[in-house]
DNA sequence: ATGCGTTTTTAGCGCACACTAACGACAAGT
DNA sequence: ACTTGTCGTTAGTGTGCGCTAAAAACGCAT
């Protein structure tokens, strides 16, 4: 891979380390258990040995403890780093959309590049300039400073909601840009009221009212959309 | 130095290459001649061998031609790269000051970090959001897209101006943050009218009217301040 | 021309991070 | 109990980019 260049005044951790911490955090919070190195490798699109090595590296930095046998867990320090990176990422996403008016689906990728170069100072200045928003454009929470995502457990994936469920579309996973583009085209975005009309058979998906438009949401998409139930 | 981490979607050139191109450009334009590798090393604060190696690297990338014997010159491609980086840098500086209200003296350092992570798309979006300004906060020109700095030759360093010279303070070199802090404290900034009152003997410097305040400008500072003469 | 100081390059190394190929450890199936 | 497939790890490489120590080239003064 390409070398690092002259990054003297940069963050205390390398971009790679930050990325691993972030990924660890994500996976750890998905199911609360030690994270397999293979999962990390898949998620970061690196080879298994690369992930294996880097996990050892993180352990040496005190960011991770390797449970004997299988899997790694973040230490408090690691968790703090991960949360700091995620916070920067989300602030940057907000910023790119609200201040620079970049299209929804490109914001996540740009933020991935920027999150390692933007200092905390700059990120906080962005946050202030935006009026300290509470969620990013995909509905992910921007937590005060080092808290856990408060509501990931409250939210339900649309996919899992039975007909007549009512709520607010709060979050849309930013993992797949094409999905975002698809949704943007149809006006599906966080903040809209949502109601499940019915579930179509044969795996077609759900008929859903979002805002005042009816949509057919396939199961793939349904897993990326999260709602806060009101009924 | 630290490794690069996962920078997949990034710029076509590494941060280091961009930094060398930028420096080459700067030095080449200072005196129009091939640039000695030692000068590059000094400017970038790396060892002479490092600079030497990287210059060879740039040559291989087609960004530079190494004049036999001494010194390197940018090719058109190299010049274009350098100008793109410099343009990004200046837009970012503007942005940090005008949109995020960061202090004058910290803006340059942050921009140095960011200029390699901000894509052209984002930089141009920043520029638009700022109303396409023509100069950055230090008075350096933000040229339309790939032109040469138009006026560096028109400007005169304050240091070289004789008493009674009148003009506008256009540019302040951003090379030394402490100097910027000093000037910021005293309200010295680009855009102000300026008049040289007298030159004090024994190397003390010049008495100068900037805006409507009188200042004593020592020779060190006088070399960092550039004015556009009107008389 | 010869020798000296400066400048540049060569040689060899370290570190971060990726990769492939090959090896080991364990669950499950026969 | 033995094979097999799925993990994970070790071993060894490559690339970017920095470094020091030593050699080579240049430029100037004698």
């Amino acid at each position: 891979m390409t070398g690092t260049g002259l990054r003297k005044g940069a963050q205390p951790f390398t971009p790679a380390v930050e990325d691993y911490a972030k990924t660890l955090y994500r996976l750890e919070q998905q199911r609360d258990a030690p994270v397999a190195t293979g999962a990390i490798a898949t998620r970061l699109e690196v080879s298994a040995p690369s992930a294996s090595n880097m996990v050892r590296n993180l352990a040496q930095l005190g960011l991770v403890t390797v449970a004997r046998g299988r899997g790694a867990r973040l230490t408090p320090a690691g968790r703090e780093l991960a949360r700091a990176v995620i916070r920067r990422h989300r602030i940057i996403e907000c910023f790119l959309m609200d201040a620079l008016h970049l299209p929804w689906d490109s914001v996540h990728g740009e933020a991935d590049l920027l999150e390692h170069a933007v200092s905390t100072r700059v990120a906080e200045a962005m946050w202030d300039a935006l009026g300290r928003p509470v969620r990013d454009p995909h509905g992910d929470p921007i937590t005060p400073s080092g808290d856990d995502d408060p509501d990931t457990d409250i939210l339900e994936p649309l996919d899992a909601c039975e007909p007549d469920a009512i709520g607010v579309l709060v979050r849309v996973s930013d993992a797949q840009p094409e999905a975002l583009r698809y949704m943007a085209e149809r006006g599906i975005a966080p903040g809209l009221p949502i109601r499940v009309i019915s579930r179509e058979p044969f795996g077609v998906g759900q008929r859903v009212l979002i805002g005042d438009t009816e949509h057919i949401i396939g199961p793939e998409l349904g897993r990326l959309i999260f709602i806060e139930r009101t009924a």
Side-chain angles (χ1 to χ4, degrees), chain A residues 118-130:
Chain A
V118 169
S119 70
T120 300
R121 197 160 54 142
V122 170
E124 296 308 319
M126 285 180 174
W127 196 48
D128 286 346
L130 291 166

Side-chain angles (χ1 to χ4, degrees), chain A residues 6 15 49 72 92 105 110-111 113 117 140 154 166 173 180 191 193 195-196 211 216 225:
Chain A
L6 314 163
I92 293 164
D105 56 288
E110 296 278 1
L113 258 40
D140 284 314
I154 306 175
I166 290 180
S173 164
L180 287 179
R195 187 162 66 84
V196 180
I216 303 280
I225 296 174

